[in-house]
Each structure stands twice: as structure tokens, then as C-alpha cells.
Amino acid sequence: MKLQQKVIIITGASKGLGVSMAETCSREGANVVLAARSKPQLEAVAERILQSGGEVETVPTDMSCPEQLDALVARTVERFGRIDGLINNAGVNYVKPFLEIDPAEWRRVLDVDLTGSFLLTQLCARRMAHQGRGGSIVQIASVHTHASLAGAAPYDAAKHGMVGFSKAAAVELAPLGIRVNILSPGLCETEIWKDIVAAAPSEKECIDYWNANIPGGRLITAEEISRCCVFLLSNDSSCITGANIFADLGMTSLLVSREPYVSSAIASQ
Ligand SMILES: NC(=O)c1ccc[n+]([C@@H]2O[C@H](COP(=O)([O-])OP(=O)(O)OC[C@H]3O[C@@H](n4cnc5c(N)ncnc54)[C@H](O)[C@@H]3O)[C@@H](O)[C@H]2O)c1
């Protein structure tokens, strides 16, 4: 097991990728602390982990509330005695035309996706520094740290900001053995995907379009993203810090869309 006895906080663990991260870290031997706003949803995830023999704590937490982040860290230390890892996964997606975004909407996205993850990183890193045994922090950003889509300004600003402060933290904390990395997923099979399909005029055209624009030709599973987190939290990645790793099946390496035009010169070679 890659995370035996490590104490790991996972935010946004009530649904989507965070549930898979929690279950996967637990299967790898970690004691997991699950944070999100919904107590019943967190408890449902915790129940499954307990039934599989894992150690788990739930702490209802709103990422935009600094006092609740303090309480999350305090409860983790009270229950398990230390913190070895953090996955800053909680996030709000948000799509609105650039010219229509109002200041309150901008602040709401940045409060959760950027300021919340900064403050929690700082709190966990302080604790890790105090413990003196290193640690690993994984920031879940996005392919939006490479390029954008229409309507994504606050989300993109927040995720770029996450990369920025994490690189600074990685440099400062490396002498203490505390690593900070960014994992930037491509399009995953979660609620976000269901929303995209539901909003499309044709489900088949939507699926064909995305499959054609992802070099890997498919969506990424939550389990695949979770395995990347396990790698970054474990000693297997001991020489990696300050990296922004794209888990995107090649999406950000593709210069332009594969469709609708394919050069006949290339095709005939
Ligand atoms: N799903 C994808 O395709 C994809 C791609 C790239 C990046 N991401 C990133 O991965 C992360 C998880 O995405 P997901 O698809 O599982 O999303 P999701 O909406 O299914 O889950 C988000 C989680 O964050 C929690 N959350 C939201 N606001 C919160 C707040 N104020 N306080 C505490 N928790 C809060 C939610 O309760 C939920 O548990 C996000 O940071 C997202 O930006 C997702």
C-alpha cells in the first residue's frame, strides 16, 4: 500500500472526483479526513470507507470560510495526531460571458477556488513544518491552467492563481521536505460532463465532438485522477515538487482541434 498510515485531508469529498480520491487513498492505507459542505453526503462516503475497514473522519467545511478551515485542521490533528497530505480538490465551476460577470460572482469563485485553497495549504504546511517530517500537498487545478474556453474567466483566474502560489510554496517549503504539486485534469466523467451533455442539442454529436478533440479519444475516469493523486502523495514522487502535471489524455498538447479539417498531405504520408 502506497499511503500506509498517512493522514490525508481531501476537500470536496462529498461528490465527483473527491469521493473517488477519498476511497482510493483509504484503499492505499491512508487515514482520510473528508471535507465538504454537506454533512449527510460526507457521512455517506465515510460509511462506505468504514465498511471497507478504513479510518475516516468527516468535517463539514465551507472553503470560503477561514474559521472553518482552521477547524478542519484542528479536528484532523485532534483525531489523528498529525497531517501528512492534503488534496485541495473542492472547487466551483462557473461559466458566464466575460462582459457580464459582476464583482460578487468573481469574488465567490475566487474565494472558494483560490483563497480557500491558499489558506488551507498554508494551514497544513504550517502544521507539517511543525511536525518536522515533511508532507505532500496536491492542488487540483485544470487544463484551464494551459488555455481557456469562452465564459471561464473567474475559474481560469482562480486555477492560474493556484498554480502561482503553489510554485512559490514549493520553492519555500522544499528544504522542509514539504512538496506542493498541481494536478490539472482534462475532461473527466463526472457531473460536469453530465451537465455538458445535458446542455448540448445532440448527445451523440457532443460525445463525438469531445472524443475527437481529446487525443486519447475518451473521457478520464475519477479512478485515473485518484491514482495520480496517490502517486503525488506517496514517496514514489519524492523528487517532484512545484510541477503542474496535466492528466488530460493529451488535450493540452493538441495544437488545434482535430476536427473538422485534416490535411490530406499528412493523411497520405
Ligand atoms: N470534472 C472535470 O472534468 C474536471 C476537470 C478539471 C478540473 N476539475 C477540478 O476537479 C475538482 C473536482 O471537480 P468535480 O468534477 O468532482 O466537481 P463536483 O462539482 O462534482 O465536486 C466539487 C466538490 O467541491 C465541493 N465544494 C464546492 N464548493 C465548496 C465550498 N464552498 N466549500 C467546500 N466544498 C465545496 C462540492 O461540495 C463537491 O464536493 C474541482 O476543483 C474542479 O475544478 C474537474
Side-chain angles (χ1 to χ4, degrees), residues 92-113:
V92 279
N93 198 358
Y94 183 80
V95 181
K96 195 167 184 186
F98 186 82
L99 297 179
E100 294 169 20
I101 297 160
D102 70 39
E105 292 164 331
W106 169 266
R107 276 194 296 272
R108 170 83 191 125
V109 179
L110 267 78
D111 279 353
V112 176
D113 290 6

Side-chain angles (χ1 to χ4, degrees), residues 123-203:
L123 288 169
C124 288
R126 280 184 185 144
R127 182 69 209 175
M128 288 169 180
H130 172 75
Q131 293 163 183
R133 41 184 282 157
S136 176
I137 294 171
V138 181
Q139 317 287 16
I140 304 300
S142 167
V143 283
H144 283 242
T145 60
H146 174 83
S148 190
L149 287 173
Y155 182 77
D156 288 5
K159 296 295 190 182
H160 275 274
M162 201 180 215
V163 175
F165 84 72
S166 297
K167 283 183 181 277
V171 168
E172 289 185 48
L173 301 174
L176 304 175
I178 301 168
R179 298 184 294 112
V180 186
N181 288 294
I182 306 112
L183 184 66
S184 284
L187 193 53
C188 303
E189 263 179 314
T190 61
E191 291 301 317
I192 289 178
W193 170 243
K194 287 181 196 151
D195 291 347
I196 293 171
V197 172
S202 154
E203 183 177 332

Side-chain angles (χ1 to χ4, degrees), residues 185-234:
L187 193 53
C188 303
E189 263 179 314
T190 61
E191 291 301 317
I192 289 178
W193 170 243
K194 287 181 196 151
D195 291 347
I196 293 171
V197 172
S202 154
E203 183 177 332
K204 184 182 179 313
E205 269 179 38
C206 179
I207 292 170
D208 289 349
Y209 171 82
W210 280 106
N211 285 346
N213 282 286
I214 298 168
R218 64 172 176 85
L219 302 186
I220 298 157
T221 67
E223 172 73 16
E224 287 177 299
I225 297 299
S226 301
R227 299 300 317 164
C228 295
C229 292
V230 168
F231 169 68
L232 289 171
L233 290 165
S234 77

Side-chain angles (χ1 to χ4, degrees), residues 34-50:
L34 314 184
R37 287 161 304 175
S38 163
K39 192 172 162 61
Q41 280 181 310
L42 284 177
E43 284 177 350
V45 180
E47 188 54 38
R48 288 202 298 278
I49 290 175
L50 278 174

